[in-house]
Structure formats: C-alpha cells, structure tokens
Amino acid sequence: MRNKLIAGNWKMQGSLAGNPVLLNAVATGVATLPAVSFAVLVPFPYLVQARDYLSGTSCAWGAQDVSEENSGAYTGEVAVSMLSDLGCRYVIVGHSERRARHGESDERVAAKAWRALEGGVTPIVCVGETLSERETGQTLAVVYRQLDAVMQRLGPGLLAKTVLAYEPVWAIGTGRSATPEQAQEVHAALRARVAQADAIVSSGLQILYGGSVKPGNAIELMRLPDVDGALVGGASLVAGDFLGIGQAAASA
Ligand code: 13P
C-alpha cells in the first residue's frame, strides 16, 4: 500500500511578510490529516522560513531545483548539501518550466536526481508531454524517454527512493486537468515501464499527478489506482485549497 503525498510547488511566488500566514495554516491543517504526507516546495530564499515554521509538524519542505554539481564555481546554482543543511526532504527536478525555459535535457534531469539522492534529499522527478505531443500521439513515447533517462542513471535501487510526478504540460496552470482516464492511463504505463526493470520497485513507487489539481477535482484523481498523490501549483498558495486536496487524498 502506497501512502499519498500532497506536495505544493509554490513556484516563484510568496513573500517574507506573507508566507507565515500560509505556513501556519498548513502546519495546523496537516495535523488533522495524519494519514497523508505533505510537503511544500518553496523558492530558495524562503527555505529557512519554511524550516522555522514547519519543523516539528508533519509537513516536510524542500526546493524546486538543485544543481547536478557537488560544489564549486557554479554561479547561481544551489548544491544538495545546502538543501540538506536546511532540512529539505524533497527537491523537484525536471519540472517542465525548467525543461522549457532552461533547456534541461533528460540526462541533466537524471543527473540532478542522482545528485539529490547522493545528498540524502528525495527527488520529485517530473515527466510530461506538451499539447502538440499529445495531439500527435506521442504521449507515452515522451514520458518513457524522460523516465528511461532517470532509470538508466539511477538503477532500480535508487529509483526506489525517488518520487515520480506526471505533469502534462497542457494541464499546468490552465485550469484544464487531465481527465481521470488520461491520468490513470499514463500513470499505469509509467508503472509498467518501471516493472520491466524491477517489479518490486514498481509496486512501491509513488507517482504523483500534477496539473490544475483543485479540491473540486482531487477526489476523482486521488481515487485512481496508480495515482499516489498530487503535485499542486496554484492551489498550494491557498491554505484551504491545499488542505482540501489533502482531505480528498485522505478520503480516497
Ligand atoms: P498548477 O496546479 O498551477 O496547474 O501547477 C502544476 C504544477 O506545475 C506543479 O508543479
């Protein structure tokens, strides 16, 4: 039985003055939902604040990217040792916004996932197709290519310590979530792909769905057999919505 994880990706949003209201509300709310795991992935400057407000609660915190390098002359990059210094449990790697805006290749995403694990931080590895890729029937080919790069770099032993997230690019920030059928089809296909390498790792792998998840559509998504939680963007900035999605996961 896989636990559900509800992870909030704040993206480039928040403020030092405004974050405490949200963090306090999340800290209080997650205590009422002990069966579900929670995390918030905040901008780097707010990691200390997230640690200060969430330490001792059941909500973990983490970052939205990490360098594939260990340390050194890499201006603007952040090492996994710095994330673990701040108590980060998770880091997102390969979000489509980074793949698209920063040209992150499948191999670079895989290297980041490997580096995160080496530093003791769990990578949440994002895969997903664009609208044109879906419309031309390439969905599974694209997510397999993205997954295969990670599987090759990590091997089954490290893959078992990874969280996967299926985020169709066309569903991100659009208000147009994948239908339950679309989500289940891709999640099951991803799990089957991992099973070809290792059946035990496959059955334990947490695969989150991301893309316009709201309290209103969360129940049907969280009930799907191969959906093990959500990677939530916009709705993670509203405590009631984020916790509402957690409630849906708890009752699924
Ligand atoms: P939205 O929930 O805003 O669509 O964002 C999804 C996402 O990209 C999470 O990483």
Side-chain angles (χ1 to χ4, degrees), residues 184-221:
Q184 173 57 25
E185 183 198 5
V186 178
H187 280 238
L190 289 167
R191 197 177 302 287
R193 188 80 166 182
V194 174
Q196 288 172 11
D198 192 305
I200 294 172
V201 171
S202 163
S203 68
L205 187 68
Q206 273 183 323
I207 309 180
L208 313 184
Y209 168 78
S212 297
V213 180
K214 312 283 177 213
N217 60 18
I219 283 265
E220 56 182 10
L221 289 164

mmCIF file of all heavy atoms in Angstrom, residues 184-221:
data_model
loop_
_atom_site.group_PDB
_atom_site.id
_atom_site.type_symbol
_atom_site.label_atom_id
_atom_site.label_comp_id
_atom_site.label_asym_id
_atom_site.label_seq_id
_atom_site.Cartn_x
_atom_site.Cartn_y
_atom_site.Cartn_z
ATOM 1 N N GLN A 184 -4.857 8.110 -15.329
ATOM 2 C CA GLN A 184 -4.646 6.700 -14.983
ATOM 3 C C GLN A 184 -3.876 5.974 -16.086
ATOM 4 O O GLN A 184 -2.992 5.160 -15.803
ATOM 5 C CB GLN A 184 -5.987 6.016 -14.692
ATOM 6 C CG GLN A 184 -5.919 4.511 -14.484
ATOM 7 C CD GLN A 184 -4.981 4.064 -13.368
ATOM 8 O OE1 GLN A 184 -4.704 4.811 -12.432
ATOM 9 N NE2 GLN A 184 -4.447 2.843 -13.481
ATOM 10 N N GLU A 185 -4.208 6.280 -17.333
ATOM 11 C CA GLU A 185 -3.528 5.595 -18.440
ATOM 12 C C GLU A 185 -2.014 5.833 -18.379
ATOM 13 O O GLU A 185 -1.218 4.895 -18.491
ATOM 14 C CB GLU A 185 -4.072 6.094 -19.795
ATOM 15 C CG GLU A 185 -3.435 5.363 -20.967
ATOM 16 C CD GLU A 185 -3.591 6.080 -22.309
ATOM 17 O OE1 GLU A 185 -4.125 7.210 -22.351
ATOM 18 O OE2 GLU A 185 -3.144 5.498 -23.305
ATOM 19 N N VAL A 186 -1.622 7.093 -18.177
ATOM 20 C CA VAL A 186 -0.180 7.397 -18.180
ATOM 21 C C VAL A 186 0.481 6.876 -16.899
ATOM 22 O O VAL A 186 1.580 6.318 -16.947
ATOM 23 C CB VAL A 186 0.062 8.907 -18.381
ATOM 24 C CG1 VAL A 186 1.556 9.218 -18.324
ATOM 25 C CG2 VAL A 186 -0.533 9.365 -19.709
ATOM 26 N N HIS A 187 -0.192 7.028 -15.762
ATOM 27 C CA HIS A 187 0.397 6.520 -14.508
ATOM 28 C C HIS A 187 0.619 5.009 -14.582
ATOM 29 O O HIS A 187 1.675 4.503 -14.177
ATOM 30 C CB HIS A 187 -0.511 6.865 -13.321
ATOM 31 C CG HIS A 187 -0.357 8.270 -12.848
ATOM 32 N ND1 HIS A 187 0.007 8.591 -11.558
ATOM 33 C CD2 HIS A 187 -0.498 9.445 -13.498
ATOM 34 C CE1 HIS A 187 0.080 9.911 -11.444
ATOM 35 N NE2 HIS A 187 -0.238 10.445 -12.604
ATOM 36 N N ALA A 188 -0.371 4.286 -15.100
ATOM 37 C CA ALA A 188 -0.230 2.834 -15.202
ATOM 38 C C ALA A 188 0.884 2.470 -16.172
ATOM 39 O O ALA A 188 1.648 1.519 -15.935
ATOM 40 C CB ALA A 188 -1.557 2.216 -15.647
ATOM 41 N N ALA A 189 0.998 3.247 -17.253
ATOM 42 C CA ALA A 189 2.051 2.969 -18.237
ATOM 43 C C ALA A 189 3.435 3.220 -17.631
ATOM 44 O O ALA A 189 4.372 2.446 -17.861
ATOM 45 C CB ALA A 189 1.844 3.832 -19.479
ATOM 46 N N LEU A 190 3.557 4.289 -16.860
ATOM 47 C CA LEU A 190 4.844 4.573 -16.206
ATOM 48 C C LEU A 190 5.203 3.450 -15.231
ATOM 49 O O LEU A 190 6.341 2.985 -15.175
ATOM 50 C CB LEU A 190 4.787 5.917 -15.470
ATOM 51 C CG LEU A 190 4.754 7.171 -16.358
ATOM 52 C CD1 LEU A 190 4.379 8.406 -15.535
ATOM 53 C CD2 LEU A 190 6.103 7.379 -17.054
ATOM 54 N N ARG A 191 4.199 3.018 -14.473
ATOM 55 C CA ARG A 191 4.474 1.955 -13.501
ATOM 56 C C ARG A 191 4.860 0.653 -14.220
ATOM 57 O O ARG A 191 5.773 -0.050 -13.786
ATOM 58 C CB ARG A 191 3.247 1.739 -12.598
ATOM 59 C CG ARG A 191 3.596 0.963 -11.324
ATOM 60 C CD ARG A 191 2.422 0.800 -10.381
ATOM 61 N NE ARG A 191 1.818 2.042 -9.935
ATOM 62 C CZ ARG A 191 2.363 2.880 -9.059
ATOM 63 N NH1 ARG A 191 3.526 2.610 -8.517
ATOM 64 N NH2 ARG A 191 1.742 3.986 -8.713
ATOM 65 N N ALA A 192 4.191 0.376 -15.318
ATOM 66 C CA ALA A 192 4.522 -0.841 -16.077
ATOM 67 C C ALA A 192 5.942 -0.754 -16.645
ATOM 68 O O ALA A 192 6.658 -1.761 -16.716
ATOM 69 C CB ALA A 192 3.504 -1.047 -17.198
ATOM 70 N N ARG A 193 6.319 0.446 -17.069
ATOM 71 C CA ARG A 193 7.673 0.631 -17.603
ATOM 72 C C ARG A 193 8.723 0.329 -16.520
ATOM 73 O O ARG A 193 9.728 -0.331 -16.777
ATOM 74 C CB ARG A 193 7.824 2.081 -18.079
ATOM 75 C CG ARG A 193 9.107 2.373 -18.817
ATOM 76 C CD ARG A 193 8.995 1.898 -20.242
ATOM 77 N NE ARG A 193 10.056 2.424 -21.091
ATOM 78 C CZ ARG A 193 10.136 2.179 -22.392
ATOM 79 N NH1 ARG A 193 9.222 1.420 -22.989
ATOM 80 N NH2 ARG A 193 11.121 2.668 -23.115
ATOM 81 N N VAL A 194 8.466 0.800 -15.318
ATOM 82 C CA VAL A 194 9.399 0.529 -14.218
ATOM 83 C C VAL A 194 9.384 -0.966 -13.890
ATOM 84 O O VAL A 194 10.432 -1.558 -13.593
ATOM 85 C CB VAL A 194 9.042 1.378 -12.977
ATOM 86 C CG1 VAL A 194 9.916 1.005 -11.786
ATOM 87 C CG2 VAL A 194 9.191 2.870 -13.293
ATOM 88 N N ALA A 195 8.211 -1.584 -13.987
ATOM 89 C CA ALA A 195 8.101 -3.019 -13.662
ATOM 90 C C ALA A 195 8.953 -3.873 -14.585
ATOM 91 O O ALA A 195 9.423 -4.944 -14.183
ATOM 92 C CB ALA A 195 6.638 -3.462 -13.736
ATOM 93 N N GLN A 196 9.151 -3.396 -15.828
ATOM 94 C CA GLN A 196 10.020 -4.151 -16.740
ATOM 95 C C GLN A 196 11.438 -4.260 -16.182
ATOM 96 O O GLN A 196 12.144 -5.222 -16.435
ATOM 97 C CB GLN A 196 10.062 -3.482 -18.116
ATOM 98 C CG GLN A 196 8.764 -3.647 -18.899
ATOM 99 C CD GLN A 196 8.743 -2.814 -20.172
ATOM 100 O OE1 GLN A 196 9.754 -2.256 -20.592
ATOM 101 N NE2 GLN A 196 7.573 -2.725 -20.781
ATOM 102 N N ALA A 197 11.849 -3.243 -15.411
ATOM 103 C CA ALA A 197 13.185 -3.268 -14.809
ATOM 104 C C ALA A 197 13.159 -3.945 -13.448
ATOM 105 O O ALA A 197 14.073 -4.696 -13.092
ATOM 106 C CB ALA A 197 13.731 -1.847 -14.684
ATOM 107 N N ASP A 198 12.101 -3.651 -12.659
ATOM 108 C CA ASP A 198 12.047 -4.201 -11.301
ATOM 109 C C ASP A 198 10.604 -4.126 -10.783
ATOM 110 O O ASP A 198 10.094 -3.036 -10.497
ATOM 111 C CB ASP A 198 12.979 -3.414 -10.372
ATOM 112 C CG ASP A 198 13.171 -4.129 -9.037
ATOM 113 O OD1 ASP A 198 12.160 -4.430 -8.380
ATOM 114 O OD2 ASP A 198 14.333 -4.376 -8.662
ATOM 115 N N ALA A 199 9.970 -5.280 -10.625
ATOM 116 C CA ALA A 199 8.553 -5.309 -10.253
ATOM 117 C C ALA A 199 8.315 -4.798 -8.828
ATOM 118 O O ALA A 199 7.306 -4.146 -8.556
ATOM 119 C CB ALA A 199 8.006 -6.730 -10.396
ATOM 120 N N ILE A 200 9.241 -5.083 -7.945
ATOM 121 C CA ILE A 200 9.037 -4.656 -6.549
ATOM 122 C C ILE A 200 9.165 -3.143 -6.430
ATOM 123 O O ILE A 200 8.352 -2.482 -5.777
ATOM 124 C CB ILE A 200 10.040 -5.381 -5.619
ATOM 125 C CG1 ILE A 200 9.716 -6.878 -5.613
ATOM 126 C CG2 ILE A 200 9.972 -4.822 -4.198
ATOM 127 C CD1 ILE A 200 10.729 -7.742 -4.893
ATOM 128 N N VAL A 201 10.178 -2.575 -7.094
ATOM 129 C CA VAL A 201 10.333 -1.115 -7.086
ATOM 130 C C VAL A 201 9.086 -0.478 -7.692
ATOM 131 O O VAL A 201 8.548 0.507 -7.174
ATOM 132 C CB VAL A 201 11.606 -0.690 -7.861
ATOM 133 C CG1 VAL A 201 11.654 0.828 -8.047
ATOM 134 C CG2 VAL A 201 12.852 -1.177 -7.134
ATOM 135 N N SER A 202 8.608 -1.040 -8.785
ATOM 136 C CA SER A 202 7.427 -0.502 -9.464
ATOM 137 C C SER A 202 6.214 -0.458 -8.545
ATOM 138 O O SER A 202 5.488 0.542 -8.503
ATOM 139 C CB SER A 202 7.133 -1.372 -10.685
ATOM 140 O OG SER A 202 5.841 -1.154 -11.143
ATOM 141 N N SER A 203 5.997 -1.510 -7.787
ATOM 142 C CA SER A 203 4.777 -1.539 -6.960
ATOM 143 C C SER A 203 4.879 -0.595 -5.767
ATOM 144 O O SER A 203 3.862 -0.168 -5.232
ATOM 145 C CB SER A 203 4.469 -2.966 -6.513
ATOM 146 O OG SER A 203 5.468 -3.395 -5.614
ATOM 147 N N GLY A 204 6.090 -0.215 -5.375
ATOM 148 C CA GLY A 204 6.229 0.709 -4.254
ATOM 149 C C GLY A 204 6.405 2.155 -4.660
ATOM 150 O O GLY A 204 6.398 3.049 -3.806
ATOM 151 N N LEU A 205 6.564 2.414 -5.960
ATOM 152 C CA LEU A 205 6.910 3.766 -6.424
ATOM 153 C C LEU A 205 5.726 4.725 -6.295
ATOM 154 O O LEU A 205 4.639 4.447 -6.798
ATOM 155 C CB LEU A 205 7.352 3.679 -7.894
ATOM 156 C CG LEU A 205 7.904 4.954 -8.522
ATOM 157 C CD1 LEU A 205 9.241 5.341 -7.892
ATOM 158 C CD2 LEU A 205 8.076 4.761 -10.034
ATOM 159 N N GLN A 206 5.963 5.857 -5.630
ATOM 160 C CA GLN A 206 4.922 6.886 -5.556
ATOM 161 C C GLN A 206 4.924 7.681 -6.856
ATOM 162 O O GLN A 206 5.954 8.255 -7.238
ATOM 163 C CB GLN A 206 5.204 7.854 -4.401
ATOM 164 C CG GLN A 206 4.643 7.409 -3.059
ATOM 165 C CD GLN A 206 4.890 8.449 -1.982
ATOM 166 O OE1 GLN A 206 5.928 9.091 -1.948
ATOM 167 N NE2 GLN A 206 3.934 8.608 -1.091
ATOM 168 N N ILE A 207 3.776 7.742 -7.512
ATOM 169 C CA ILE A 207 3.644 8.542 -8.737
ATOM 170 C C ILE A 207 2.554 9.586 -8.502
ATOM 171 O O ILE A 207 1.379 9.254 -8.326
ATOM 172 C CB ILE A 207 3.291 7.678 -9.966
ATOM 173 C CG1 ILE A 207 4.249 6.470 -10.100
ATOM 174 C CG2 ILE A 207 3.350 8.525 -11.235
ATOM 175 C CD1 ILE A 207 3.960 5.561 -11.293
ATOM 176 N N LEU A 208 2.963 10.859 -8.457
ATOM 177 C CA LEU A 208 2.034 11.960 -8.217
ATOM 178 C C LEU A 208 1.482 12.463 -9.547
ATOM 179 O O LEU A 208 2.160 12.394 -10.577
ATOM 180 C CB LEU A 208 2.752 13.125 -7.510
ATOM 181 C CG LEU A 208 3.640 12.798 -6.305
ATOM 182 C CD1 LEU A 208 4.183 14.098 -5.702
ATOM 183 C CD2 LEU A 208 2.873 11.997 -5.269
ATOM 184 N N TYR A 209 0.264 13.015 -9.503
ATOM 185 C CA TYR A 209 -0.275 13.705 -10.671
ATOM 186 C C TYR A 209 -0.197 15.207 -10.417
ATOM 187 O O TYR A 209 -0.520 15.670 -9.302
ATOM 188 C CB TYR A 209 -1.740 13.302 -10.948
ATOM 189 C CG TYR A 209 -2.332 14.237 -11.963
ATOM 190 C CD1 TYR A 209 -2.023 14.084 -13.317
ATOM 191 C CD2 TYR A 209 -3.086 15.340 -11.571
ATOM 192 C CE1 TYR A 209 -2.480 14.992 -14.244
ATOM 193 C CE2 TYR A 209 -3.550 16.258 -12.501
ATOM 194 C CZ TYR A 209 -3.244 16.079 -13.837
ATOM 195 O OH TYR A 209 -3.674 16.996 -14.750
ATOM 196 N N GLY A 210 0.194 15.964 -11.429
ATOM 197 C CA GLY A 210 0.204 17.425 -11.323
ATOM 198 C C GLY A 210 -0.373 18.072 -12.559
ATOM 199 O O GLY A 210 -0.171 17.579 -13.680
ATOM 200 N N GLY A 211 -1.086 19.169 -12.361
ATOM 201 C CA GLY A 211 -1.687 19.908 -13.474
ATOM 202 C C GLY A 211 -3.110 20.274 -13.141
ATOM 203 O O GLY A 211 -4.014 19.470 -13.276
ATOM 204 N N SER A 212 -3.279 21.529 -12.644
ATOM 205 C CA SER A 212 -4.609 22.051 -12.316
ATOM 206 C C SER A 212 -5.380 21.191 -11.327
ATOM 207 O O SER A 212 -6.595 21.012 -11.445
ATOM 208 C CB SER A 212 -5.439 22.273 -13.599
ATOM 209 O OG SER A 212 -4.829 23.258 -14.417
ATOM 210 N N VAL A 213 -4.669 20.648 -10.333
ATOM 211 C CA VAL A 213 -5.360 19.919 -9.260
ATOM 212 C C VAL A 213 -5.972 20.942 -8.301
ATOM 213 O O VAL A 213 -5.304 21.881 -7.863
ATOM 214 C CB VAL A 213 -4.407 18.993 -8.484
ATOM 215 C CG1 VAL A 213 -5.163 18.259 -7.372
ATOM 216 C CG2 VAL A 213 -3.745 17.980 -9.419
ATOM 217 N N LYS A 214 -7.264 20.778 -8.031
ATOM 218 C CA LYS A 214 -8.020 21.658 -7.123
ATOM 219 C C LYS A 214 -8.831 20.751 -6.196
ATOM 220 O O LYS A 214 -9.023 19.577 -6.495
ATOM 221 C CB LYS A 214 -8.993 22.551 -7.929
ATOM 222 C CG LYS A 214 -8.381 23.243 -9.137
ATOM 223 C CD LYS A 214 -7.532 24.450 -8.759
ATOM 224 C CE LYS A 214 -6.877 25.066 -10.001
ATOM 225 N NZ LYS A 214 -5.575 25.652 -9.771
ATOM 226 N N PRO A 215 -9.384 21.320 -5.119
ATOM 227 C CA PRO A 215 -10.212 20.473 -4.251
ATOM 228 C C PRO A 215 -11.356 19.813 -5.030
ATOM 229 O O PRO A 215 -11.719 18.665 -4.767
ATOM 230 C CB PRO A 215 -10.741 21.448 -3.194
ATOM 231 C CG PRO A 215 -9.724 22.538 -3.159
ATOM 232 C CD PRO A 215 -9.209 22.674 -4.560
ATOM 233 N N GLY A 216 -11.884 20.516 -6.033
ATOM 234 C CA GLY A 216 -13.037 20.009 -6.771
ATOM 235 C C GLY A 216 -12.742 18.801 -7.651
ATOM 236 O O GLY A 216 -13.646 17.999 -7.921
ATOM 237 N N ASN A 217 -11.521 18.672 -8.143
ATOM 238 C CA ASN A 217 -11.235 17.503 -8.999
ATOM 239 C C ASN A 217 -10.322 16.492 -8.303
ATOM 240 O O ASN A 217 -9.994 15.437 -8.869
ATOM 241 C CB ASN A 217 -10.639 17.925 -10.358
ATOM 242 C CG ASN A 217 -9.326 18.690 -10.219
ATOM 243 O OD1 ASN A 217 -8.674 18.646 -9.183
ATOM 244 N ND2 ASN A 217 -8.930 19.401 -11.261
ATOM 245 N N ALA A 218 -9.918 16.812 -7.074
ATOM 246 C CA ALA A 218 -8.915 15.969 -6.411
ATOM 247 C C ALA A 218 -9.465 14.584 -6.059
ATOM 248 O O ALA A 218 -8.755 13.584 -6.188
ATOM 249 C CB ALA A 218 -8.378 16.658 -5.159
ATOM 250 N N ILE A 219 -10.714 14.522 -5.629
ATOM 251 C CA ILE A 219 -11.259 13.229 -5.186
ATOM 252 C C ILE A 219 -11.150 12.193 -6.293
ATOM 253 O O ILE A 219 -10.624 11.094 -6.097
ATOM 254 C CB ILE A 219 -12.745 13.375 -4.745
ATOM 255 C CG1 ILE A 219 -12.824 14.008 -3.368
ATOM 256 C CG2 ILE A 219 -13.450 12.038 -4.761
ATOM 257 C CD1 ILE A 219 -12.934 13.005 -2.236
ATOM 258 N N GLU A 220 -11.629 12.557 -7.498
ATOM 259 C CA GLU A 220 -11.629 11.550 -8.571
ATOM 260 C C GLU A 220 -10.207 11.204 -8.997
ATOM 261 O O GLU A 220 -9.917 10.064 -9.355
ATOM 262 C CB GLU A 220 -12.497 11.993 -9.755
ATOM 263 C CG GLU A 220 -12.120 13.328 -10.332
ATOM 264 C CD GLU A 220 -13.039 13.741 -11.477
ATOM 265 O OE1 GLU A 220 -14.075 13.073 -11.691
ATOM 266 O OE2 GLU A 220 -12.702 14.724 -12.170
ATOM 267 N N LEU A 221 -9.297 12.168 -8.910
ATOM 268 C CA LEU A 221 -7.902 11.867 -9.278
ATOM 269 C C LEU A 221 -7.240 11.001 -8.205
ATOM 270 O O LEU A 221 -6.511 10.053 -8.514
ATOM 271 C CB LEU A 221 -7.125 13.167 -9.472
ATOM 272 C CG LEU A 221 -7.493 13.981 -10.733
ATOM 273 C CD1 LEU A 221 -6.964 15.413 -10.633
ATOM 274 C CD2 LEU A 221 -6.978 13.297 -11.997
#
